[in-house]
Amino acid sequence: MKSNEECSGNLGNIYSTVQKGKSKWVDTQVVFAMPYDTPVPGYKNNIVNTLRLWSAKAENHFHLKFFNDGDYVQAVMDRNLSENITRVLYPNDNMFLGKELRLKQQYFLVAATLQDIIRRFKSSIYGNREAVRVNFDTFPDKVAIQLNDTHPSIGIPELIRLLVDVEGLTWDKAWDICVKTYAYTNHTLLPEALERWPVSLMQNLLPRHLEIIYEINQKFMNTISSRHPGDFDRMRRMSIVEEADQFGEKRINMAHLCIVASHAINGVAALHSELLKSSTFRDFFEFYPDRFQNKTNGITPRRWLLLSNPSLADLIVEKIGESWITNLDELQKLKEFANDAGFLDSIRRVKLENKQHVAQYLSDEYNVSINAASLFDVHVKRIHEYKRQLLNILHVIALYNRIKENPNIDIVKRTVLYGGKAAPGYHMAKQIIRLVTAVAEQVNNDPIVGDRLKVIFLENYRVSMAEKIIPAADLSEQISTAGTEASGTGNMKFMLNGALTIGTLDGANVEMAEEMGDENIFIFGMNVDEVEALTKRGYSSQEFIDKSPVLKQIVEQIEGGMFTPEDPSQLRDLSNMLRHHDRFMVCADFDAYVEAQDKVSATFRDQEKWSRMALYNIASTGKFSTDRTIAEYARQIWGIDQFENSLPAPYENEKSEE
């Protein structure tokens, strides 16, 4: 669906000149922003919102100079250069790469959106293109902009530029509007994921915005200096403009910009928000204590239960009705049936049916025969060292070694599924994926193992695949190093679908355990305080390898090329990392993880107990609905009262007109 409105933006080697107190663009590359509107219908309320996305389009004419000079190719290349801006969305997750095209893309998207917002604000009558409102005093009452991480943060200086340079407001007025309009959600605790743009890049691409950022920083530094006279170390730590690094490059810390320019800052789980205040942004919390809050993430039950797991949804409706679909807290009523053998049996039946469908899918796609009665152990999320897919595959190798050492061992049958994508240049992620696929190849083709252990790496993991896999999962792997996962939402999807969780006390796992009770989740490993204490003491992974005969054997097997006989050194970087650079403490948590997995297996043998735990998981997900999350954002950040009434259906309007 293509809108007929267009916003134009300027990009390229841009320089600003000042005329009559205002800056203006010169020597620009003009790019048109074409809006594409996607309708987003509400659930049975006759309300349809609009998601507006943007596509970069070149100017409608060739550069005549090139064309007249006979350089048709250059003219076409210029068009491509403009349209490349939105050709691909950068796939990097939890990793920052300071690429010029990425900054162009970010600026293009926020510039188009802000021009559109201001146009709509000024034209108060829907569809009227004439500027009716010219007073911006009520702008923050009508407009709320939530910065979803720092990716749209260039929108802060862009809004000020539009208000000052285009609309003619004073700096102080523009700044007041900016702070009241913006709020910032932080999504990561990893320092390498925080955006820190080189000053040289911003100077070349967006010089006026750099001027504005310098002005914001100068005023902020003055405020810090007046409150903490002579505390230059504090000023250095809190500055938006970071001092030159070893390469002589100054950088703009976009997270600091977001905090200074927003009226509210939040994390996405209780633990995450506390760590922001006590560690990552401690100085800022001391400076702006009233700005920091928590908004625990949520998932939509309409997609992740009603749509993707209709059999379970029907079972729930039979017991407690349909009100849970729009009020997930209603699922608490299921706890009344915790000792209802018939209901627990129905939960098991639904799970088995879902597993049978997935087993057939895996057989068709991967030519691997799966026992649907086996424990489906699922680890699906972005591939990253902190998420510790490596810890999981080390446990799989431990299970494999047990079977090989004692072929007659009585072991709970497992199907271990991995899925996820990684940043294209992330070498260690590729090493981890290679280990998983190498282990899978060996385990799946070993006649001694048979159907007792199967390993599959799911290709091209995506939402449509998640809708198949999650309803079939028995065990959800949420095993990040404590203090590294902001929240997670996959953990909530699995919980809603009756999978049990093995996890660390990290992200939203902490709140999940609080809701369902510690007896209904498999928690293992170090907590945040213990990770911090070990770090201070000086962590040596070799110390833990030497203490654990099981882990020692596995590391030596990887080093010796047991799983990659065609190239024994192929995984050397991974084994070296485990021995010498185990930043996310895989080795420290290994023994505790294996012990927890043994407890999982023992519990799975008692199917009635397992089903009761699954019921408590399902019944405790009320807190983790996006309905609750969004209502909290609306009330506590955007200043919007909740509106739960449905609009009349179109045919009802027709009847009333008759």
Side-chain angles (χ1 to χ4, degrees):
M1 190 182 299
K2 188 181 290 188
S3 170
N4 61 0
E5 299 162 12
E6 287 186 352
C7 295
S8 62
N10 296 283
L11 289 164
N13 293 320
I14 301 162
Y15 302 88
S16 56
T17 59
V18 178
Q19 291 182 346
K20 298 180 182 175
K22 287 187 185 181
S23 295
K24 70 168 189 175
W25 297 95
V26 296
D27 187 24
T28 63
Q29 172 195 353
V30 176
V31 182
F32 286 103
M34 177 72 77
Y36 287 78
D37 288 353
T38 301
V40 184
Y43 180 74
K44 291 187 176 180
N45 61 5
N46 299 310
I47 294 172
V48 180
N49 288 321
T50 300
L51 173 65
R52 174 160 286 187
L53 303 176
W54 300 99
S55 180
K57 302 292 180 189
E59 289 180 89
N60 291 327
H61 58 274
F62 283 138
H63 284 170
L64 286 177
K65 177 184 179 300
F66 291 134
F67 195 76
N68 291 339
D69 292 346
D71 198 347
Y72 171 78
V73 172
Q74 184 61 49
V76 172
M77 283 174 65
D78 271 20
R79 288 184 66 86
N80 286 339
L81 203 64
S82 297
E83 296 182 2
N84 279 344
I85 292 167
T86 53
R87 192 86 65 189
V88 62
L89 189 66
Y90 271 75
N92 297 313
D93 185 73
N94 286 301
M95 188 176 293
F96 173 66
L97 298 175
K99 302 283 189 182
E100 180 177 316
L101 185 60
R102 170 70 165 185
L103 183 57
K104 274 190 178 183
Q105 188 179 81
Q106 289 183 356
Y107 176 66
F108 168 81
L109 294 170
V110 300
T113 298
L114 285 168
Q115 287 184 43
D116 199 31
I117 287 170
I118 289 172
R119 175 191 60 77
R120 287 199 229 182
F121 172 78
K122 290 166 75 173
S123 305
S124 60
I125 302 169
Y126 183 76
N128 182 2
R129 289 178 172 272
E130 298 300 316
V132 176
R133 278 200 198 97
V134 288
N135 187 323
F136 279 81
D137 289 351
T138 60
F139 188 83
D141 300 326
K142 301 292 183 183
V143 176
I145 302 176
Q146 193 71 33
L147 295 163
N148 196 22
D149 220 331
T150 57
H151 313 307
S153 56
I154 197 67
I156 292 166
E158 173 66 4
L159 179 59
I160 296 219
R161 184 190 74 80
L162 289 168
L163 294 177
V164 172
D165 295 353
V166 178
E167 301 297 337
L169 273 63
T170 65
W171 175 278
D172 289 345
K173 184 64 184 172
W175 178 248
D176 182 60
I177 289 170
C178 177
V179 174
K180 287 177 178 173
T181 300
Y182 278 113
Y184 165 50
T185 300
N186 173 272
H187 283 276
T188 183
L189 291 159
L190 299 181
E192 67 265 32
L194 296 175
E195 290 189 305
R196 297 160 57 250
W197 288 106
V199 164
S200 59
L201 176 58
M202 199 167 281
Q203 176 66 52
N204 184 48
L205 195 70
L206 299 167
R208 176 57 176 150
H209 296 73
L210 185 62
E211 286 180 357
I212 291 168
I213 290 168
Y214 278 152
E215 182 70 14
I216 293 169
N217 193 52
Q218 186 57 56
K219 291 178 182 296
F220 180 52
M221 290 294 101
N222 292 344
T223 309
I224 295 174
S225 182
S226 63
R227 200 185 293 187
H228 301 279
D231 194 344
F232 299 113
D233 194 45
R234 180 182 294 269
M235 291 173 71
R236 179 189 56 76
R237 292 194 308 268
M238 297 179 74
S239 177
I240 296 166
V241 183
E242 294 181 351
E243 294 172 5
D245 57 22
Q246 67 266 37
F247 305 109
E249 183 74 80
K250 289 186 175 183
R251 292 177 176 270
I252 305 299
N253 188 312
M254 303 308 273
H256 291 186
L257 176 64
C258 289
I259 294 169
V260 173
S262 299
H263 68 275
I265 297 104
N266 71 278
V268 290
L271 175 63
H272 173 223
S273 297
E274 285 306 308
L275 289 171
L276 291 180
K277 293 190 290 187
S278 65
S279 179
T280 314
F281 300 134
R282 181 176 178 176
D283 290 324
F284 290 93
F285 173 62
E286 290 172 358
F287 202 81
Y288 297 123
D290 296 337
R291 290 190 182 185
F292 283 77
Q293 47 183 284
N294 175 59
K295 296 284 168 280
T296 299
N297 275 341
I299 57 166
T300 168
R302 268 81 64 187
R303 176 173 296 277
W304 294 109
L305 181 48
L306 190 63
L307 182 71
S308 61
N309 199 346
S311 299
L312 181 58
D314 288 345
L315 189 62
I316 293 169
V317 168
E318 282 175 22
K319 283 293 183 185
I320 63 170
E322 294 187 349
S323 57
W324 61 269
I325 298 170
T326 52
N327 179 11
L328 205 59
D329 285 321
E330 289 287 303
L331 290 183
Q332 289 280 355
K333 292 177 180 176
L334 291 174
K335 291 180 181 178
E336 298 169 19
F337 306 102
N339 295 308
D340 182 332
F343 186 58
L344 295 180
D345 187 59
S346 296
I347 289 175
R348 282 196 295 278
R349 176 180 47 77
V350 167
K351 181 65 75 175
L352 182 59
E353 286 172 3
N354 291 337
K355 289 166 70 175
Q356 286 167 341
H357 292 147
V358 167
Q360 186 60 53
Y361 169 76
L362 295 174
S363 176
D364 295 343
E365 293 292 319
Y366 300 96
N367 196 29
V368 178
S369 179
I370 300 297
N371 183 343
S374 64
L375 190 161
F376 276 30
D377 179 348
V378 184
H379 201 163
V380 287
K381 52 184 76 249
R382 293 294 293 235
I383 311 294
H384 198 290
E385 288 163 90
Y386 87 87
K387 294 179 184 286
R388 299 203 295 191
Q389 285 91 351
L390 180 56
L391 178 58
N392 186 341
I393 194 64
L394 294 181
H395 170 250
V396 170
I397 297 170
L399 291 179
Y400 179 59
N401 286 340
R402 282 185 195 174
I403 295 170
K404 295 294 280 185
E405 287 160 14
N406 180 7
N408 297 317
I409 191 171
D410 179 22
I411 197 167
V412 170
K413 295 177 180 180
R414 278 194 193 230
T415 299
V416 187
L417 303 178
Y418 297 86
K421 295 176 181 175
Y426 190 178
H427 175 65
M428 194 51 67
K430 293 178 182 180
Q431 288 266 294
I432 292 166
I433 293 167
R434 180 67 194 107
L435 178 60
V436 170
T437 56
V439 170
E441 198 173 335
Q442 190 149 328
V443 167
N444 296 346
N445 294 297
D446 192 326
I448 293 173
V449 175
D451 70 345
R452 289 182 288 181
L453 183 61
K454 294 292 182 186
V455 182
I456 296 177
F457 187 89
L458 301 163
E459 293 176 17
N460 193 21
Y461 180 72
R462 56 205 183 279
V463 170
S464 57
M465 187 184 285
E467 290 173 346
K468 288 189 186 80
I469 299 296
I470 290 173
D474 290 308
L475 187 67
S476 162
E477 299 273 353
Q478 310 297 332
I479 59 176
S480 53
T481 314
T484 61
E485 185 72 84
S487 168
T489 52
N491 45 5
M492 302 166 189
K493 295 167 192 172
F494 283 105
M495 180 184 176
L496 181 61
N497 281 275
L500 305 191
T501 298
I502 183 167
T504 50
L505 285 171
D506 198 24
N509 295 354
V510 177
E511 291 159 84
M512 285 165 50
E514 287 170 0
E515 293 296 305
M516 73 176 79
D518 291 342
E519 67 278 9
N520 294 304
I521 188 170
F522 301 99
I523 295 294
F524 76 94
M526 296 178 290
N527 60 28
V528 170
D529 292 338
E530 288 165 339
V531 168
E532 195 176 324
L534 182 54
T535 304
K536 281 183 180 172
R537 176 165 70 84
Y539 172 57
S540 165
S541 56
Q542 189 62 51
E543 175 189 329
F544 287 89
I545 293 169
D546 291 339
K547 280 195 302 191
S548 171
V550 175
L551 180 58
K552 187 169 187 288
Q553 178 189 8
I554 293 168
V555 174
E556 288 172 355
Q557 286 171 331
I558 295 169
E559 282 174 332
M562 174 175 163
F563 301 103
T564 54
E566 72 289 348
D567 183 0
S569 64
Q570 191 174 33
L571 296 171
R572 185 160 293 163
D573 290 345
L574 186 145
S575 56
N576 282 342
M577 180 269 284
L578 277 173
R579 285 197 186 276
H580 308 296
H581 312 288
D582 181 19
R583 179 181 163 198
F584 295 103
M585 301 184 174
V586 169
C587 298
D589 271 343
F590 176 78
D591 283 347
Y593 179 59
V594 171
E595 187 181 333
Q597 285 283 17
D598 288 342
K599 188 178 176 186
V600 168
S601 294
T603 307
F604 192 72
R605 290 181 187 275
D606 183 348
Q607 280 291 291
E608 181 132 343
K609 180 181 181 183
W610 187 277
S611 301
R612 188 173 295 109
M613 291 171 72
L615 184 148
Y616 272 99
N617 271 260
I618 297 164
S620 303
T621 46
K623 176 179 180 178
F624 306 109
S625 170
T626 42
D627 300 334
R628 187 268 315 154
T629 307
I630 294 165
E632 287 182 2
Y633 275 102
R635 266 196 322 271
Q636 298 165 20
I637 296 180
W638 306 330
I640 302 170
D641 290 328
Q642 199 166 351
F643 177 79
E644 291 187 356
N645 296 331
S646 297
L647 294 179
Y651 64 84
E652 291 174 336
N653 279 334
E654 289 169 12
K655 284 180 183 175
S656 64
E657 286 169 10
E658 290 170 8

